[in-house]
Amino acid sequence: MTKIFETPLYPYQRSPDQDAATPVRHPVVVLGAGPVGLAAAIDLAQADIPVVVLDENDKVSWGSRAICFAKRPLEILDRLGCGDEMVDKGVVWNLGKVFFDERKVYDFNLLPEDGHKRPAFINLQQYYLEQYLVDRVRALQADGKAIELRGGNKVTAVKPDESGVRLTVETPDGPYLMDADWLIACDGAGSPTRTMLGLDFQGRVFEDNFLIADVVMKADFPTERWFWFDPPFNKGQSALLHKQPDDVWRIDLQLGWDIDREAEKDPAKIAPKLEAMLGPDTDYEFEWVSIYTFQCRRMEKFRHGRVLFAGDAAHQVSPFGARGANSGFQDTDNLIWKLKLVIDGTAPEALLDTYDDERVYAADENILNSSRSTDFITPKSHASRVFRDAVLDLAEHHAFARPLVNSGRLSLPAIYDGSPLNGPDVDGLPIRSRPGAPASDAPLRDGWLIDRLGGGFQLVTIDTQAPDTLDVDGITVTRLALSAKDDPSGALAERYLGEAPGAVYLMRPDQHVAARWTSFDADAVAAAVKTATARA
């Protein structure tokens, strides 16, 4: 397994920019070749926006790191061209179980309804995801797309102005300067870009420490998420068990506050807990060990003029709930279509302010849920622990108490209620598909609804007539004509019609609903497109 960590995927090569007499200007530069930065670059390249990705590294990240990828990010990765690789390699799961001491309190299904292409979650080591994303970059390059990935390029200075950003880049051959019309900072939780611009996070840092141990072992545990409160093998603390591909298992153990972090990472100290948890006869070996603390923080704003922050560079949450990488993909999904319209001159720069509006809203939602999880998992007082334990006891026998149990409420996509981009709504259509919501998938006779959405503005008509295309001040809206009869299961009608005989949905390029009606009106659609592009 160490081979994947040691193989350069994008080794340093001298670029023509380093020999230019004056700094070369690029439309977009992305800092950071992690999952979020690569997703942003792929999205740009697919939209025919030239992009350069800079990273001081040239390999996948060490260790499993992010492993839980939710349904909505998998749909985004489908649009980016590497969803199949993720799901084919990943461990698919929908079921979770919660234990208190040695007793199972209850279990839950994260995708209780049929009719979706993708599962609720897969588990997959981050290094595989990064490899698939780099493979996708190479495929786009082979197709002639203007996407460049530069390893061994460390940005040491960022100087923005009203028209762009000047970067100083350090390489093995020395420094050079380059300019960007737009800079997207995806350079991680310790974001050097954020530091160089004198910006910071706001929020909470929790004092509890947690150990991640990825171990390779043959085990008969089912493909489920298991979470323990106060287990016998980690008394007074919590534990989590997840299966990954290649017989790798993720184990999280709560350690408490006052610890010697280096001593706790010693395999000899970890082994007794693992043997008590897994059984004394279980053979395993360590692949990766790390210790982390919870942080629930974000930048005040994600847009700073020509510099845009995404992923961990913009916000941090605790890993319980799988909101880190999953929300990062949703950041870029929200940002790139807006940036394309601005670059193309078909939308004002004010559209980029709505990236800030919508994704700060989403970050606050994630931080709220993550903070609540942390407070439930790690009670800060005797009274809160008594309450927590009473809830767990009740949940074992009474369904009403189960929603109060919070072992890490798992990632869900944000619904942009109240967004300035939302257009009109009508009564009687299903609430789940209201303006601001991501599209709900549904089966069609020839595939899946989600595969026919995305990349541009679309008018989805269900048993309703409308023109095949509309032009709204340079923005083309294409029609996707459907009928409830296209889905014999009834899911399409249930999710988009309710009791209505027909409906018209204006979909944004990121597969979120912009507006909806029960019949077509050209003027209303044009007005909604203008609202959705910040031109109203």
Side-chain angles (χ1 to χ4, degrees):
M1 189 56 62
T2 57
K3 183 178 180 181
I4 195 170
F5 302 130
E6 297 168 355
T7 304
L9 293 182
Y10 42 96
Y12 170 75
Q13 294 179 324
R14 189 174 181 86
S15 75
D17 288 8
Q18 292 167 259
D19 299 315
T22 59
V24 176
R25 193 174 190 91
H26 298 270
V28 183
V29 172
V30 173
L31 299 189
V36 176
L38 290 171
I42 290 167
D43 212 350
L44 287 161
Q46 291 186 164
D48 294 317
I49 302 295
V51 58
V52 177
V53 184
L54 304 178
D55 198 303
E56 63 181 298
N57 195 8
D58 61 3
K59 305 176 184 69
V60 297
S61 300
W62 180 265
S64 297
R65 297 182 180 268
I67 65 164
C68 295
F69 298 98
K71 176 178 177 292
R72 179 63 197 141
L74 291 174
E75 294 168 349
I76 294 169
L77 287 162
D78 276 336
R79 189 175 59 77
L80 298 182
C82 50
D84 285 343
E85 291 87 344
M86 293 279 292
V87 177
D88 290 347
K89 180 66 177 179
V91 173
V92 174
W93 65 278
N94 293 319
L95 190 66
K97 292 180 179 176
V98 176
F99 300 87
F100 183 30
D101 195 1
E102 295 184 279
R103 312 186 321 267
K104 188 185 85 168
V105 175
Y106 71 100
D107 53 39
F108 56 89
N109 189 337
L110 292 167
L111 193 61
E113 64 181 15
D114 295 327
H116 294 267
K117 177 183 178 181
R118 293 309 187 195
F121 273 88
I122 67 164
N123 287 353
L124 182 72
Q125 296 92 317
Q126 182 174 318
Y127 47 76
Y128 282 123
L129 167 59
E130 292 182 15
Q131 187 175 37
Y132 299 148
L133 289 167
V134 172
D135 290 344
R136 179 60 180 154
V137 169
R138 300 305 185 210
L140 289 167
Q141 291 172 332
D143 288 341
K145 297 292 188 182
I147 179 170
E148 188 178 353
L149 181 52
R150 298 182 188 174
N153 279 243
K154 179 181 179 179
V155 174
T156 57
V158 176
K159 295 183 178 180
D161 59 32
E162 291 184 359
S163 64
V165 186
R166 171 153 291 183
L167 306 172
T168 302
V169 187
E170 187 65 52
T171 76
D173 291 331
Y176 69 100
L177 300 176
M178 67 186 299
D179 292 334
D181 294 336
W182 298 94
L183 179 68
I184 304 177
C186 306
D187 48 352
S191 175
T193 306
R194 198 177 61 237
T195 301
M196 286 184 275
L197 294 182
L199 304 170
D200 203 354
F201 278 146
Q202 57 186 22
R204 295 173 65 187
V205 177
F206 297 85
E207 295 185 43
D208 255 290
N209 294 278
F210 289 78
L211 174 110
I212 288 177
D214 280 354
V215 299
V216 181
M217 65 178 180
K218 299 286 186 180
D220 294 328
F221 302 120
T223 306
E224 300 167 352
R225 178 189 193 260
W226 286 3
F227 191 97
W228 288 265
F229 292 95
D230 195 16
F233 52 83
N234 198 28
K235 289 300 295 179
Q237 310 289 358
S238 64
L240 177 66
L241 178 68
H242 266 299
K243 183 180 182 181
Q244 304 175 65
D246 305 329
D247 294 319
V248 178
W249 294 77
R250 163 67 55 84
I251 297 169
D252 274 70
L253 297 173
Q254 184 183 356
L255 299 177
W257 291 24
D258 187 16
I259 66 166
D260 182 332
R261 293 170 69 94
E262 289 306 312
E264 292 290 346
K265 289 194 289 186
D266 183 349
K269 186 159 187 178
I270 303 170
K273 290 183 179 179
L274 295 192
E275 289 171 6
M277 177 184 188
L278 305 172
D281 298 327
T282 302
D283 292 327
Y284 64 87
E285 61 182 51
F286 290 101
E287 180 176 89
W288 181 58
V289 174
S290 181
I291 289 178
Y292 63 90
T293 55
F294 282 165
Q295 299 190 33
C296 293
R297 306 189 295 166
R298 66 165 174 87
M299 298 178 67
E300 183 179 359
K301 297 190 303 178
F302 296 172
R303 182 192 176 196
H304 292 264
R306 293 281 176 138
V307 183
L308 302 138
F309 290 83
D312 286 350
H315 46 74
Q316 286 181 277
V317 291
S318 71
F320 290 118
R323 290 185 168 82
N326 287 309
S327 61
F329 286 128
Q330 291 165 76
D331 288 346
T332 63
D333 191 48
N334 184 288
L335 171 61
I336 299 307
W337 70 269
K338 297 175 179 178
L339 184 57
K340 175 178 170 54
L341 292 181
V342 171
I343 290 173
D344 288 349
T346 51
E349 280 194 28
L351 182 59
L352 292 174
D353 292 331
T354 70
Y355 166 67
D356 200 76
D357 293 334
E358 293 181 337
R359 293 313 298 168
V360 166
Y361 174 86
D364 283 344
E365 186 177 90
N366 281 325
I367 286 170
L368 175 64
N369 281 299
S370 191
S371 298
R372 286 173 172 171
S373 297
T374 304
D375 287 336
F376 194 86
I377 293 168
T378 62
K380 304 302 185 294
S381 68
H382 175 71
S384 60
R385 180 174 290 275
V386 169
F387 169 79
R388 196 274 309 273
D389 292 353
V391 167
L392 290 167
D393 282 331
L394 285 168
E396 185 175 4
H397 303 289
H398 303 285
F400 80 87
R402 289 167 191 166
L404 300 174
V405 177
N406 196 335
S407 63
R409 297 279 162 76
L410 286 148
S411 176
L412 291 171
I415 298 174
Y416 303 131
D417 289 318
S419 168
L421 302 187
N422 288 351
D425 194 7
V426 292
D427 293 334
L429 294 177
I431 191 171
R432 68 187 289 172
S433 300
R434 64 190 182 272
S440 293
D441 200 6
L444 303 176
R445 292 188 191 277
D446 56 350
W448 296 94
L449 174 62
I450 204 72
D451 285 338
R452 301 181 67 181
L453 300 176
F457 279 94
Q458 290 173 285
L459 202 64
V460 178
T461 62
I462 306 174
D463 293 317
T464 307
Q465 293 301 310
D468 289 337
T469 61
L470 294 169
D471 184 275
V472 182
D473 296 340
I475 293 178
T476 300
V477 182
T478 60
R479 180 189 180 204
L480 173 59
L482 300 175
S483 169
K485 297 176 183 177
D486 294 331
D487 174 17
S489 76
L492 180 67
E494 177 190 356
R495 294 166 195 176
Y496 288 92
L497 292 179
E499 299 302 319
V504 177
Y505 282 79
L506 177 64
M507 305 299 300
R508 301 178 357 174
D510 59 359
Q511 302 174 332
H512 280 250
V513 177
R516 60 182 183 172
W517 308 265
T518 51
S519 61
F520 173 73
D521 181 298
D523 291 338
V525 172
V529 172
K530 291 177 181 179
T531 296
T533 54
R535 292 183 298 169

